[in-house]
Amino acid sequence: MSVPHKVGTVKSKQATNVNTQPKAPVAKVVKAAGKKKDEEEATDTAEGEEWMPGKTLVKPSDQLDLTEEELNEEITRVLTANNPNAPQNVVRYGFKEGCYKPIIFVDQMAIHFELEGNLVHKESDEGRRLMAKQAERDDGKGAEKLDNVAKAGDKERKLTNQFNFNERASQTLNNPPRDISCQTEPPPRANFSATANQWEIYDFYVEELKRREKSKEKQEGQVLNKEEDKSKKKMIQAETQSDDITQLAHAAKIIERMVNQNIFDEVAQDFMYFEDAADEFRGEKGTLLPLWKLQYDKAKGLSVTALCWNPKYSDLFAVGLGSYEFTQEERGMLLFYTLKNSSYPEFIFNTTSGVMCVDIHAQLSYLVAVGLHDGCVAVYNLKKKSDQPIYNSTASSGKHRGAVMQVKWQKDDLDSNHNFISVSTDGRVVSWTLVKHELVFTDIIKLPATDKVPDDLKDVIATAGTSLDFHKQKDYHFLVATEAGKIHKGSKYYSSKFLETYDAHFMTVSRVRWNPFHPNVFISCGWDWMVKIWDQTIKSPIFTFELKTSVTDVAWAPYSSTIFAAITNDGKVHVFDLSINKYEALCQQKVVSKKTRLLHIEFNPVNPIIIVGDDRGHVISLKLSPNLRKKPKEKKGQELPKGPEVEIAKMEQLLSSLR
């Protein structure tokens, strides 16, 4: 039932204006009375003395005036759990990348209160046990109450809450320490006292030096027989090495090799076991896998002028260091490296003149013949600890007047004397024989002068020899390459003139080599960008390959009669297999930087690797992929023929197709 409200007026005492406003009704609600009573009381209150003024809406002066549409517009605000005070520029150090990295995800949780407690939920199993134990202490009826509680727990068992955390603590008893003691007899002691002054120390060193000199004189002066004096030789060596610190050198060398093999373990594993499986998808092409890079710090500024593998130890090779700059004579070095220790040479020999060529004796692998830039030839003995050669040519003993470009060991003569042959830029081919303590020379032949030289100067101006190689079956036949581009075939037993002359190249012939299998085939390369393969019965080449830059060296593979490798001035290694492709290389790979020139290459006689030397004194070893050393596949029930006859037949078949 609605109740009418009266409207009153109020006069302001301070102003003459009369303000009339409708007043809001004020009603008192009484729960005990009825609706009529409520209405009457409300009417009385409105008319009575307890009149209250109505609420007035006060509008601020800077309030915006909004339209009805703007007032009805809904504005949505999304509350997120992100912490506004969390840092956004946190960085941490990443050990994998080696630098500081910004943290993308920042913890947004802010903990306002944290309290660790040890409360146990009363409905849990442990809570029931604790309550049972407490009841047992209080009433003394622990056994009966425990059974009742256990039964009640079995009936009212609830699923455990995995979020309940119980903190437990326990303390164990430590075993008591025990002391065990024993008594031993003291070691025997002796008192020793002496005075040492400067003179006594000096006298002791003098006596020690005299003793060592006497032992060396005995060892060098006595000529011991192989069978009779073995025991004496061992006694002398035992005396000299008993107190010498150098006896630790062998053990230290073994340890050094073990450390290096551990450091370069991945390279050693690749050398032994890695076979490039990608060759199956390359067709005929192959690749070279870089292995070790050998360098010696004291050889900076020198070029690799010679490479030679040891015929007895397949991991040992010699490196000759010198220079091809003939305007100035520089120092040289002869180094011996082993693949078991690539960080440091096994043997080091310093020479006053640059080393130009090296050859190791086939049977006595400790004898090394060396040709030098000043025209001397020398023989080193690896068994001697001395840095000096055991044989050295002099001006009186017929040394060359130009740089010695090639030396080759020969079989012993009829008197069982070792000998080797050399060729030099003075045009002489000389045989050197090791007789007692001196080198005896014999001129075999002199290279003829070119046609451009006048007749009266042909005896004065010689043609420089650049390379020399002996026939593998007929060891008295040899080939000599010259600066004039010709290759001469000669014989040690016929010194009046050469047997044959081939117009091989337009420029200097840098290398000539006989094929290790076929008796009639040899290969040559020169500065005219050409690699040519020859049959000695024909004066024109049977194969010619142009490599677009100067070819510095070429070598036959020891395992195949049709595979050879060549190196060029632009740092590339070219590997050919004539039985697979007669027109282009199976592999062309750059192995050094742009400004580095390759000078020499050699195949390992046993393992499928090659070594190349550059003009910075570095030697790089490379492993041939399977496509570069292919062998014919075996058929079921048939064994493949092996031996040099197979390689000779393979080359002969190739030659017959071209004749």
Side-chain angles (χ1 to χ4, degrees):
M1 184 176 190
S2 59
V3 179
H5 297 277
K6 294 182 179 181
V7 180
T9 60
V10 178
K11 292 183 179 180
S12 177
K13 296 179 181 181
Q14 298 177 359
T16 59
N17 297 336
V18 177
N19 185 14
T20 62
Q21 281 185 342
K23 304 300 178 183
V26 179
K28 294 184 179 181
V29 182
V30 181
K31 293 182 180 180
K35 292 182 180 179
K36 293 181 179 179
K37 190 175 180 179
D38 293 339
E39 293 173 0
E40 293 174 357
E41 288 181 359
T43 304
D44 296 339
T45 305
E47 296 175 353
E49 297 176 356
E50 298 179 2
W51 178 85
M52 296 179 63
K55 294 182 179 179
T56 308
L57 295 176
V58 180
K59 181 179 179 181
S61 59
D62 57 348
Q63 183 175 345
L64 296 175
D65 293 332
L66 302 177
T67 62
E68 191 69 24
E69 294 179 358
E70 292 175 344
L71 290 172
N72 295 332
E73 182 182 357
E74 293 184 359
I75 298 175
T76 305
R77 291 191 178 182
V78 181
L79 297 179
T80 61
N82 293 338
N83 184 7
N85 297 323
Q88 301 298 327
N89 55 354
V90 179
V91 295
R92 290 183 181 174
Y93 186 78
F95 291 92
K96 183 178 180 181
E97 295 81 2
C99 63
Y100 286 93
K101 298 181 63 180
I103 302 299
I104 300 175
F105 301 101
V106 181
D107 188 8
Q108 303 290 340
M109 184 177 66
I111 300 174
H112 299 287
F113 179 74
E114 183 179 2
L115 177 63
E116 295 182 0
N118 54 0
L119 298 178
V120 180
H121 200 279
K122 65 179 181 179
E123 293 182 359
S124 63
D125 294 341
E126 189 170 357
R128 293 193 187 96
R129 285 194 224 100
L130 294 175
M131 291 170 63
K133 287 183 181 180
Q134 186 66 29
E136 182 183 356
R137 294 192 193 96
D138 296 341
D139 300 340
K141 298 179 180 180
E144 296 179 1
K145 289 187 178 182
L146 281 173
D147 293 337
N148 296 333
V149 172
K151 291 178 182 178
D154 293 339
K155 293 178 181 178
E156 301 177 0
R157 170 172 275 177
K158 296 182 179 180
L159 294 176
T160 58
N161 188 351
Q162 60 178 346
F163 296 103
N164 287 346
F165 175 75
N166 300 328
E167 184 177 353
R168 305 177 186 176
S170 62
Q171 185 175 6
T172 59
L173 297 176
N174 296 325
N175 294 325
R178 296 180 181 180
D179 296 333
I180 299 176
S181 60
C182 61
Q183 186 175 1
T184 60
E185 294 182 0
R189 299 180 180 179
N191 295 327
F192 174 78
S193 61
T195 57
N197 53 30
Q198 186 177 2
W199 295 108
E200 289 182 356
I201 297 173
Y202 175 79
D203 293 340
F204 178 80
Y205 275 102
V206 170
E207 291 177 0
E208 179 68 16
L209 291 174
K210 288 181 179 179
R211 187 183 65 80
R212 292 186 182 183
E213 289 178 0
K214 288 181 180 179
S215 62
K216 287 182 181 179
E217 290 176 0
K218 289 181 181 179
Q219 187 177 3
E220 293 176 357
Q222 296 178 357
V223 180
L224 303 177
N225 296 328
K226 292 182 179 179
E227 298 179 357
E228 297 178 356
D229 297 328
K230 279 185 179 180
S231 59
K232 293 182 181 179
K233 192 174 181 180
K234 289 181 180 179
M235 290 293 293
I236 294 173
Q237 289 178 354
E239 289 178 3
T240 56
Q241 295 177 359
S242 59
D243 297 329
D244 198 355
I245 301 177
T246 57
Q247 62 185 349
L248 298 176
H250 182 66
K253 185 177 291 186
I254 294 174
I255 294 174
E256 183 184 11
R257 289 185 178 182
M258 293 171 63
V259 171
N260 275 281
Q261 288 182 11
N262 288 336
I263 294 173
F264 302 102
D265 180 63
E266 293 182 1
V267 180
Q269 295 291 334
D270 291 343
F271 165 69
M272 290 297 296
Y273 306 111
F274 179 76
E275 300 292 346
D276 194 354
D279 273 15
E280 298 179 3
F281 309 101
R282 293 193 183 104
E284 299 175 352
K285 301 296 182 179
T287 58
L288 299 172
L289 175 67
L291 296 175
W292 295 278
K293 185 176 182 180
L294 303 99
Q295 56 186 359
Y296 185 47
D297 293 338
K298 294 183 180 180
K300 288 183 178 179
L302 299 178
S303 302
V304 175
T305 54
L307 291 173
C308 183
W309 286 98
N310 192 301
K312 186 175 181 181
Y313 304 99
S314 60
D315 63 303
L316 186 67
F317 62 92
V319 180
L321 296 171
S323 176
Y324 285 112
E325 299 293 334
F326 295 111
T327 56
Q328 54 183 1
E329 187 174 338
E330 297 181 354
R331 64 184 180 91
M333 299 185 78
L334 176 62
L335 307 179
F336 283 83
Y337 284 102
T338 175
L339 300 181
K340 298 176 182 177
N341 182 10
S342 59
S343 63
Y344 198 79
E346 291 290 307
F347 301 96
I348 302 173
F349 299 95
N350 294 292
T351 59
T352 55
S353 181
V355 176
M356 302 302 295
C357 52
V358 176
D359 193 32
I360 302 175
H361 200 283
Q363 286 77 32
L364 306 176
S365 58
Y366 55 87
L367 290 180
V368 183
V370 176
L372 302 178
H373 187 276
D374 59 358
C376 292
V377 293
V379 178
Y380 288 87
N381 189 345
L382 300 184
K383 291 184 176 180
K384 301 285 185 180
K385 296 182 179 179
S386 174
D387 191 18
Q388 300 300 319
I390 57 174
Y391 294 96
N392 194 5
S393 64
T394 59
S396 60
S397 61
K399 81 165 193 173
H400 291 282
R401 294 190 300 273
V404 182
M405 301 305 294
Q406 194 82 49
V407 291
K408 288 288 182 182
W409 283 102
Q410 300 296 299
K411 291 183 179 179
D412 295 351
D413 59 13
L414 298 177
D415 296 330
S416 299
N417 293 323
H418 307 315
N419 63 93
F420 62 92
I421 292 179
S422 65
V423 64
S424 170
T425 54
D426 62 358
R428 294 167 58 207
V429 179
V430 182
S431 174
W432 302 88
T433 305
L434 282 64
V435 180
K436 293 184 179 180
H437 298 291
E438 63 177 351
L439 282 174
V440 178
F441 78 98
T442 303
D443 285 331
I444 296 178
I445 198 170
K446 188 174 182 180
L447 297 175
T450 59
D451 298 335
K452 297 180 181 180
V453 179
D455 294 337
D456 55 344
L457 297 177
K458 284 188 176 181
D459 295 335
V460 180
I461 301 175
T463 302
T466 56
S467 181
L468 172 72
D469 196 29
F470 279 83
H471 200 279
K472 300 300 182 286
Q473 288 81 25
K474 301 176 182 179
D475 57 355
Y476 51 88
H477 281 174
F478 62 88
L479 294 171
V480 181
T482 65
E483 275 188 354
K486 297 182 181 295
I487 297 176
H488 302 285
K489 177 186 173 185
S491 174
K492 291 194 296 183
Y493 306 133
Y494 192 72
S495 59
S496 61
K497 65 176 183 178
F498 287 105
L499 303 178
E500 196 70 68
T501 299
Y502 305 90
D503 293 328
H505 295 268
F506 301 107
M507 299 177 70
T508 301
V509 182
S510 52
R511 181 69 70 182
V512 61
R513 294 181 192 255
W514 285 101
N515 189 285
F517 298 98
H518 200 283
N520 293 333
V521 177
F522 63 91
I523 193 171
S524 66
C525 65
W527 292 2
D528 58 353
W529 305 2
M530 298 293 182
V531 174
K532 297 183 179 181
I533 298 176
W534 303 78
D535 186 342
Q536 68 172 349
T537 60
I538 305 173
K539 284 201 171 185
S540 60
I542 55 178
F543 289 102
T544 302
F545 303 95
E546 183 178 350
L547 303 185
K548 299 180 181 179
T549 184
S550 298
V551 186
T552 54
D553 199 359
V554 68
W556 290 103
Y559 53 84
S560 176
S561 62
T562 58
I563 296 177
F564 65 92
I567 55 174
T568 52
N569 258 342
D570 57 355
K572 288 184 179 180
V573 179
H574 306 257
V575 183
F576 293 80
D577 189 348
L578 301 178
S579 63
I580 297 177
N581 195 328
K582 305 175 189 176
Y583 307 104
E584 61 180 5
L586 301 185
C587 174
Q588 294 183 11
Q589 187 168 327
K590 193 174 183 66
V591 297
V592 292
S593 60
K594 292 182 179 179
K595 297 182 180 180
T596 305
R597 297 187 302 117
L598 294 179
L599 299 177
H600 289 278
I601 183 172
E602 286 291 338
F603 278 86
N604 187 282
V606 177
N607 301 306
I609 64 171
I610 59 175
I611 53 174
V612 293
D614 58 26
D615 59 351
R616 298 188 179 185
H618 301 163
V619 179
I620 303 169
S621 58
L622 306 162
K623 184 174 182 179
L624 301 167
S625 66
N627 278 359
L628 302 181
R629 42 190 168 93
K630 272 187 176 179
K631 295 182 180 179
K633 296 182 179 179
E634 295 184 1
K635 297 181 180 179
K636 292 183 178 180
Q638 295 182 0
E639 290 186 2
L640 288 175
K642 298 180 181 179
E645 295 82 7
V646 179
E647 297 299 330
I648 294 173
K650 188 165 62 171
M651 177 60 79
E652 190 64 36
Q653 182 181 2
L654 193 64
L655 295 177
S656 61
S657 64
L658 298 173
R659 289 170 182 167

